[in-house]
Amino acid sequence: MNPIAAPIRERYLQTLDTIARAAHSVGRAPESVRLVVVTKTQPLEVVRAAMEAGAITLGENYPEEGVMKIQSLSQFSAVEWHMIGHVQSRKAQLVAENFNFLHSLDSLKLATRLDRFCAQAGRILPVLLEFNVGGEESKFGWQADDESRWSALLAQVSAVIALPNVQVRGLMTMPPLGSTADSSRPFFQKLKRLQAYFSSQFPQTNFSELSMGTSGDYQTAVQEGATLVRIGTAIVGARQYNVEV
Ligand SMILES: *Cc1c(COP(=O)(O)O)cnc(C)c1O
């Protein structure tokens, strides 16, 4: 048996257990939280070990790397592949044709291109709108740190909603770099308020998904309402840059 499989399986199961306990601590059903196992930079054998442990939702950050894995592991047809990293417009076609879900939609330009490629491929892509609620200049996502200016986002969000082949399902955020489990909490709470704001402004659209929380702060995120947590290092270990996948 593959020697990396046992520790990955153990950490995967431990993580599910921790999610369940965090959910129970605030009266939520553990099934309302989906675990996305983030396998960016990890070789195929690691991804395979995660699948064998039971992972059914995998997260990738780089379109080419993700597509290579999707094609190599196509026999695992029950698995969903989620794109969670920033997508350059010129990579829209790769994402539209290969991924099951996009967490990181961060511009109308990208949305428009995805919509066109989805139409050509006869697919509908579920997406989350990524917001930067932490106020850092360098981060991706629509700027949404200043709550008094949220109405300025409505025109763009409305334009994304109008696209027929990308289907808005909710919101995503990454807290500022260096955040801790505690310092992330206000950002998760702010994303939840933004979700409520959009839900009231666009009652016909389903904003029910909240993608927030990574290895360092997913318990906090679950307590604050995450429906998708994106966890890499806590399950598959440190990232393996420069690896031949
Ligand atoms: C890499 C990454 C993660 C996973 O981070 P870990 O700290 O390894 O759990 C989650 N979300 C995004 C957007 C990422 O790029």
Side-chain angles (χ1 to χ4, degrees):
M1 186 168 143
N2 184 347
I4 63 170
I8 287 176
R9 180 181 164 77
E10 188 168 322
R11 290 189 298 248
Y12 173 76
L13 295 174
Q14 266 167 8
T15 303
L16 282 180
D17 189 57
T18 305
I19 289 170
R21 278 186 283 115
H24 283 308
S25 76
V26 292
R28 295 186 62 200
E31 311 81 66
S32 64
V33 184
R34 251 209 292 177
L35 169 54
V36 181
V37 179
V38 177
T39 49
K40 64 170 179 251
T41 79
Q42 300 288 353
L44 284 175
E45 58 170 359
V46 169
V47 186
R48 214 177 274 117
M51 289 171 164
E52 283 162 6
I56 48 172
T57 313
L58 297 170
E60 288 284 334
N61 282 58
Y62 311 105
E64 278 94 351
E65 180 188 340
V67 169
M68 187 283 301
K69 289 173 180 171
I70 292 169
Q71 288 170 353
S72 302
L73 299 166
S74 58
Q75 73 271 28
F76 294 88
S77 56
V79 164
E80 266 196 31
W81 293 90
H82 289 204
M83 181 68 201
I84 65 170
H86 175 66
V87 178
Q88 295 168 291
S89 288
R90 61 193 168 85
K91 302 289 169 65
Q93 185 167 11
L94 269 183
V95 172
E97 291 178 351
N98 292 281
F99 284 86
N100 302 106
F101 205 108
L102 172 64
H103 289 230
S104 44
L105 181 60
D106 59 3
S107 75
L108 179 55
K109 180 183 173 194
L110 174 61
T112 306
R113 286 179 68 88
L114 288 167
D115 180 64
R116 175 152 52 87
F117 290 119
C118 282
Q120 285 170 13
R123 303 182 98 210
I124 304 275
L125 183 68
V127 300
L128 305 177
L129 308 179
E130 179 174 1
F131 290 94
N132 176 357
V133 291
E136 271 190 12
E137 293 303 319
S138 59
K139 295 280 276 303
F140 296 114
W142 278 284
Q143 202 52 245
D145 56 316
D146 183 351
E147 295 196 42
S148 69
R149 303 194 54 202
W150 279 355
S151 60
L153 298 166
L154 294 175
Q156 300 250 321
V157 173
S158 172
V160 175
I161 289 171
L163 298 169
N165 304 294
V166 295
Q167 187 176 73
V168 174
R169 294 280 186 84
L171 311 182
M172 181 273 220
T173 199
M174 278 285 276
L177 227 63
S179 293
T180 63
D182 283 332
S183 69
S184 290
R185 193 180 298 276
F187 303 116
F188 297 150
Q189 291 171 336
K190 199 188 270 193
L191 194 71
K192 179 101 186 158
R193 287 198 297 280
L194 186 58
Q195 176 193 43
Y197 175 67
F198 287 139
S199 297
S200 70
Q201 295 292 318
F202 303 106
Q204 317 285 9
T205 303
N206 180 357
F207 284 97
S208 60
E209 303 280 2
L210 280 182
S211 171
M212 53 192 200
T214 62
S215 291
D217 55 16
Y218 67 95
Q219 291 160 272
T220 308
V222 168
Q223 289 172 343
E224 299 302 336
T227 63
L228 291 150
V229 290
R230 310 177 308 266
I231 302 179
T233 48
I235 296 173
V236 294
R239 284 187 255 293
Q240 306 191 18
Y241 292 103
N242 306 320
V243 83
E244 278 300 320
V245 287

